[in-house]
Amino acid sequence: MKGRDPIDTTYTIQLTENQYAALLDRAAELEIPLEDLLLQAMQNQIKEGQPHA
């Protein structure tokens, strides 16, 4: 996208306290920030939704 401004996208998710705690625990197990764990999950979801060649 030469000459264009990058597009910023904001996502909002709603989690229960238990879901949030589970995500924090998983991120700690993997020793990665929670944001990275959520990004990986979103990328995996996008890949699963794409048709395979």
Side-chain angles (χ1 to χ4, degrees):
M1 292 180 28
K2 195 173 187 178
R4 294 187 182 180
D5 291 332
I7 298 173
D8 289 333
T9 304
T10 301
Y11 294 92
T12 302
I13 59 172
Q14 293 182 330
L15 302 170
T16 65
E17 287 184 37
N18 288 340
Q19 290 171 321
Y20 185 68
L23 285 172
L24 284 176
D25 287 345
R26 183 66 179 141
E29 287 174 16
L30 297 172
E31 298 181 350
I32 62 173
L34 178 59
E35 293 83 0
D36 290 350
L37 180 63
L38 293 171
L39 182 58
Q40 288 176 11
M42 290 181 353
Q43 289 171 334
N44 289 340
Q45 188 68 31
I46 291 168
K47 286 179 187 176
E48 290 175 9
Q50 293 177 345
H52 298 120

